[in-house]
Amino acid sequence: MAELLELRGSIDNIDAALVHLLAERFKCTQKVGRLKAEHRLPPADPSREKVQIERLRALAADARLDPDFAEKFLNFIITEVIRHHEALRQ
């Protein structure tokens, strides 16, 4: 049981780190969104998104993480970022 508690503690710490990393990422994407709005650029950049997805899939494979899962995760983030960028345009 001690091992289970230790593993769960590690998971909790990793989850906290993920939340903080996502918060930092969204701070950057909000700045990108403001720049895009100022320069009247579209909220979405499909060519950049495609490159990012390919890069993340490769990183996932190298880390022995399911690339399909990594792609779904990134697509979820991209969708949220685009939503924020669209809101900044208004």
Side-chain angles (χ1 to χ4, degrees):
M1 227 24 182
E3 183 179 6
L4 177 62
L5 292 174
E6 184 179 326
L7 289 169
R8 285 182 174 166
S10 294
I11 290 168
D12 292 349
N13 289 336
I14 293 166
D15 287 346
L18 285 171
V19 167
H20 289 284
L21 286 171
L22 284 170
E24 286 302 310
R25 188 185 196 288
F26 275 94
K27 286 177 189 174
C28 290
T29 61
Q30 287 285 36
K31 290 177 184 176
V32 168
R34 284 192 290 276
L35 284 171
K36 284 182 172 184
E38 286 173 20
H39 297 280
R40 295 193 170 112
L41 297 171
D45 184 347
S47 61
R48 162 104 172 129
E49 293 157 19
K50 182 176 186 261
V51 169
Q52 287 297 93
I53 288 168
E54 290 170 1
R55 186 179 70 83
L56 192 70
R57 285 184 67 87
L59 287 170
D62 289 346
R64 297 178 186 225
L65 179 67
D66 180 2
D68 291 335
F69 169 78
E71 183 174 346
K72 287 176 191 172
F73 181 72
L74 186 60
N75 278 326
F76 175 78
I77 292 171
I78 289 170
T79 299
E80 195 62 19
V81 167
I82 291 169
R83 190 178 67 78
H84 289 180
H85 289 185
E86 287 169 345
L88 288 169
R89 287 181 76 185
Q90 298 175 12

